[in-house]
Structures are given as C-alpha cells and as structure tokens.
Amino acid sequence: MDKCNNLKSGGIARSNINIVEDLFKSKKVVKICAPMVRYSKLAFRTLIRRYECDVAFTPMIVSNSFVKSVKARDSEFTTNSNDHPLVVQFAASNSKDLADATEIISPYANGVDLNCGCPQRWAMAEGYGAHLIKKPELIRDMVRQTQSRINQKDFSISIKIRLHKNIRQVAFSFKIMNSTAITAN
C-alpha cells in the first residue's frame, strides 16, 4: 500500500547535503517563510519562492492524523521538485507519532520542525504546541527518537518555541532539550 500517493507524484529527490544548515553558514541574511496556518501550502510557497525565499515551512500538520490517514496526507501535504528547501512542521504529543510522520515525509522534505509554540486552546488540550514547553524531557526524547529513526545527516530536525515571560525557564528548557536547532518567536 502506498502511504504517500501525492507525495511521490512530484518526483522529488533531495540533495545529499543539509541545505537548511548550509544556508545559515553561507549567507548573512537567510529569508525564511515561517509556517502560517492555512496559508503555507504549496501554492503560497511557490509564490514566495519567486521572491527569493530561501527556506519555506508547511503549515502545522497533526502528526498522528498524518500517519493514520492517506486522506489527511493528501490534503495536508503536497510538494513538487521546485519546493525546496522545505521544512514540514508537525504537531505531536509523543515520540512515536513524530518519528512515524517524519519517516513518511523525509524523502520529500529537507527537514521537520516540532511545533512547541502554538498557543491555541485546541492544540494545548491535545498536548501539542506550547503545552510541550513544560515538558523538555519529552521534547528531547521526541527529537532523539526521530533522529535515530531517520538517521540522515542531511535532514534537519528543529523545534519551534514561543518565548515566554520567564526567560530562565525557557533557557532551562533549551539546556534539557539540547536539540539540533531551535526557532523562537
């Protein structure tokens, strides 16, 4: 059974270098289109790439739905050969869901981003988004299990957080997470 009907149609081949990491090393200014609810789909990413966007993110995709449903994959993620570098943002509440979703998406993207910043009530109630910032050990485990499952040097795994009033707590969480990359807003 093909888990990625629409994913394979683009004929996408990623390069063997970590494009996202290399951009930060090679350019003074890296233009990033952050994930935007309902807007960061393929059509919008195609448009912003015409304006020299260096890295684009997908909207947040709920990982357990993505893993369980072909319909969810087909509606939530499309890409093509010009849609790179691309980082897929996932909402997850456990390591298995994030690693499973990343395993499905890894042939078609340059990285994944775990959303630990979404403040929406529904996300927090499901254990996604900003709810996770209170659980740095879980975040660390999610990143480590995903890294070990993918085991590709050319694939980035990052964490999106929201800065809180208590900057010491955020700094403490960073220390515990010890992730490959953290993006903050």
Side-chain angles (χ1 to χ4, degrees):
M1 181 171 96
D2 183 7
K3 290 184 176 180
C4 301
N5 293 337
N6 283 351
L7 301 182
K8 292 187 177 179
S9 64
I12 297 157
R14 291 186 300 114
S15 68
N16 290 329
I17 59 171
N18 187 330
I19 294 171
V20 176
E21 186 177 319
D22 287 349
L23 277 170
F24 285 102
K25 290 178 182 176
S26 67
K27 294 180 80 173
K28 289 184 179 182
V29 176
V30 177
K31 298 173 191 166
I32 299 172
C33 184
M36 294 181 289
V37 176
R38 292 180 298 278
Y39 288 97
S40 300
K41 299 233 177 190
L42 179 60
F44 183 76
R45 294 193 308 267
T46 300
L47 175 67
I48 56 118
R49 289 185 191 284
R50 291 182 185 165
Y51 294 91
E52 301 178 4
C53 177
D54 294 310
V55 179
F57 283 68
T58 67
M60 180 177 73
I61 299 169
V62 177
S63 61
N64 65 350
S65 299
F66 189 81
V67 170
K68 292 177 184 175
S69 168
V70 171
K71 185 177 179 180
R73 287 193 291 278
D74 288 348
S75 69
E76 295 298 320
F77 181 78
T78 54
T79 191
N80 62 37
S81 59
N82 297 317
D83 190 25
H84 287 279
L86 177 63
V87 178
V88 177
Q89 187 183 80
F90 283 115
S93 60
N94 64 72
S95 302
K96 183 179 182 331
D97 286 346
L98 180 61
D100 288 349
T102 302
E103 195 168 40
I104 293 168
I105 210 78
S106 66
Y108 313 100
N110 302 95
V112 294
D113 185 60
L114 174 61
N115 186 322
C116 298
C118 181
Q120 294 182 38
R121 285 190 186 124
W122 74 267
M124 301 271 288
E126 295 291 327
Y128 305 139
H131 176 81
L132 290 171
I133 201 66
K134 299 173 187 171
K135 300 181 175 189
E137 293 88 359
L138 174 59
I139 296 169
R140 179 181 59 204
D141 184 58
M142 292 168 84
V143 169
R144 285 181 178 170
Q145 284 198 37
T146 301
Q147 284 173 327
S148 69
R149 181 87 68 86
I150 301 306
N151 196 25
Q152 297 175 14
K153 289 183 180 180
D154 64 327
F155 193 82
S156 69
I157 300 171
S158 59
I159 298 167
K160 178 210 172 191
I161 66 161
R162 186 165 301 277
L163 294 179
H164 295 275
K165 291 178 185 173
N166 184 347
I167 197 70
R168 288 179 191 231
Q169 179 60 41
V170 173
F172 177 72
S173 295
F174 283 170
K175 187 174 182 178
I176 291 173
M177 287 184 263
N178 191 24
S179 67
T180 54
I182 297 174
T183 55
N185 68 7

